[in-house]
């Protein structure tokens, strides 16, 4: 058994060196974190990733977002929102988007729409005849004052000019409760390509502080909406990682260039107003996602 006393001076010196290295690393990481906070563009994070999340998740209302430059690799962009339902609010949630220094992005709860509205958006298929008899019967059998979240699918994709004429014919306005489907959901099970979410755009998709001034224009809103969408796509880089939202640069660029509207996502419209659209030959069908009485409105 070795009974020698430990060399306390050596132990103390070793401990000092460990503490010194730890302190140096801490200072280095703190400095890098401060540098990162200068070079990470919170505004662009919201512009690119916050907007992409809204486009890919029309089943959620996501009006607010904020960036948070944390400890080096812990930069996040947080969206605040709620499920898009016809009835009262079900409460707000936070959805985190986490970009890394290597250009990849994680957003596991924002990869695409779910539930009945997600199904309705995914069911929009261009150039396919749809029998609207069942939905007419369903709507006719319900109180016409019910509020609904729904997808209005066009018989053929519409240009902005045709959609403006459609709005004027039916005395419709665009706005916060109307979103435009610029590209339908895409999936081909015969190839190895990943599925791509529908491109659903609303003029309020981008943050208030980065939104260009496209004024509300009521019946001619489709023109301003398309201009805003094209401007947003023009700010993207081909290297932006949008895979977390099942989107990609080419998919968005193609939709912006084409500029056709395949359908509308309408939020809390009265059933009576939706029913009128079914008699227009340019409407293929209406897919109801949710209905509820408007308890805040006197009947």
């Amino acid at each position: 058994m070795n009974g020698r006393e430990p060399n306390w001076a050596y132990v103390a010196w070793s401990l000092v060196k460990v503490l010194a290295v730890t302190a140096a690393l801490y200072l280095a990481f703190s400095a890098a974190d401060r540098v990162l906070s200068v070079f990470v563009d919170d505004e662009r994070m919201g512009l690119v990733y916050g907007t992409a999340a809204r486009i890919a998740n029309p089943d959620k209302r996501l009006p607010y977002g904020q960036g948070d430059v944390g400890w080096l690799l812990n930069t996040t962009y947080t969206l605040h929102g709620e499920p898009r339902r016809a009835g009262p609010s079900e409460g707000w949630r936070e959805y985190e988007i986490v970009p890394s220094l290597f250009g990849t992005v994680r957003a596991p709860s924002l990869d695409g729409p779910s539930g009945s509205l997600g199904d309705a958006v995914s069911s929009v298929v261009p150039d396919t005849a749809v029998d609207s008899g069942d939905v007419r019967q369903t709507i006719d059998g319900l109180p016409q004052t019910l509020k609904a979240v729904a997808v209005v699918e066009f018989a053929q994709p519409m240009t902005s000019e045709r959609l403006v004429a459609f709005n004027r014919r039916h005395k419709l306005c665009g706005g916060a409760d109307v979103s435009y489907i610029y590209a339908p959901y895409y999936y081909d099970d015969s190839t190895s390509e990943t599925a791509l979410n529908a491109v659903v755009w609303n003029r309020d998709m981008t943050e208030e502080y980065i939104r260009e001034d496209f004024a509300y224009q009521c019946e001619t809103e489709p023109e301003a909406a398309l201009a805003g969408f094209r401007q947003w796509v023009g700010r993207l880089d081909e290297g932006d990682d949008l895979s977390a939202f099942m989107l990609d640069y080419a998919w968005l660029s193609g939709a912006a260039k084409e500029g056709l509207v395949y359908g509308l996502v309408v939020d809390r419209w009265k059933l009576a107003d939706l029913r009128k659209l079914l008699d227009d030959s340019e409407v293929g069908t209406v897919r109801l996602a949710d209905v509820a009485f408007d308890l805040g409105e006197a009947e």
Side-chain angles (χ1 to χ4, degrees):
M1 181 176 182
N2 187 351
R4 290 188 302 171
E5 289 289 329
N7 187 338
W8 293 111
Y10 177 78
V11 171
W13 176 240
S14 298
L15 181 59
V16 168
K17 288 195 292 184
V18 170
L19 291 174
V21 170
T22 301
L25 289 174
Y26 175 80
L27 291 173
F29 276 102
S30 296
D33 200 42
R34 287 194 294 272
V35 171
L36 181 64
S37 68
V38 173
F39 286 101
V40 170
D41 189 341
D42 286 346
E43 185 173 309
R44 193 168 193 280
M45 283 175 58
L47 175 70
V48 174
Y49 302 127
T51 304
R54 293 181 177 96
I55 289 171
N57 291 270
D59 61 317
K60 301 178 183 69
R61 300 185 188 97
L62 298 165
Y64 307 114
Q66 63 188 36
D68 178 23
V69 181
W71 176 254
L72 199 56
L73 299 180
N74 194 32
T75 302
T76 62
Y77 189 82
T78 303
L79 287 170
H80 306 269
E82 63 178 351
R84 193 180 299 277
R85 301 295 302 274
S89 172
E90 296 184 353
W92 291 76
R93 286 187 54 188
E94 291 186 348
Y95 302 90
E96 282 194 345
I97 301 169
V98 186
S100 76
L101 286 179
F102 305 100
T104 58
V105 175
R106 291 186 295 105
S109 59
L110 289 167
D111 59 351
S114 60
S116 54
L117 182 54
D119 293 339
V121 172
S122 300
S123 297
V124 173
V125 180
D127 304 321
T128 300
V130 180
D131 184 1
S132 297
D134 288 344
V135 70
R136 282 189 176 88
Q137 185 175 357
T138 298
I139 293 178
D140 288 343
L142 293 170
Q144 297 299 289
T145 54
L146 282 175
K147 291 293 181 70
V149 173
V151 171
V152 178
E153 181 177 349
F154 296 134
Q156 298 289 331
M158 285 199 194
T159 62
S160 293
E161 292 78 11
R162 282 179 57 197
L163 190 49
V164 168
F166 178 86
N167 283 355
R168 286 175 172 154
R169 188 161 65 248
H170 293 283
K171 297 181 172 60
L172 301 179
C173 284
D177 59 355
V178 179
S179 299
Y180 305 92
I181 303 176
Y182 287 126
Y185 173 81
Y186 172 80
Y187 176 67
D188 185 354
D189 58 7
S190 66
T191 71
S192 59
E193 294 181 8
T194 57
L196 291 167
N197 272 320
V199 177
V200 184
W201 179 264
N202 181 279
R203 67 187 180 92
D204 289 334
M205 288 288 188
T206 54
E207 296 291 342
E208 186 70 39
Y209 64 90
I210 57 176
R211 189 183 309 147
E212 294 295 335
D213 186 20
F214 291 109
Y216 177 62
Q217 299 179 25
C218 193
E219 294 171 345
T220 60
E221 180 74 0
E223 295 173 345
L226 179 58
F229 176 55
R230 284 173 169 167
Q231 184 187 74
W232 177 76
V233 171
R235 292 189 178 187
L236 298 178
D237 294 331
E238 290 191 45
D240 289 326
D241 179 20
L242 303 176
S243 60
F245 314 107
M246 294 172 61
L247 298 171
D248 66 31
Y249 179 82
W251 183 238
L252 293 164
S253 297
K257 182 178 180 180
E258 185 180 51
L260 296 178
V261 179
Y262 292 78
L264 307 175
V265 176
V266 298
D267 193 5
R268 291 172 172 165
W269 277 26
K270 285 188 177 181
L271 282 184
D273 296 327
L274 286 169
R275 177 62 181 84
K276 294 174 184 176
L277 300 184
L278 281 169
D279 295 327
D280 191 308
S281 61
E282 293 201 276
V283 174
T285 191
V286 171
R287 302 181 189 275
L288 296 178
D290 190 40
V291 296
F293 284 105
D294 185 352
L295 301 178
E297 180 180 297
E299 298 295 341

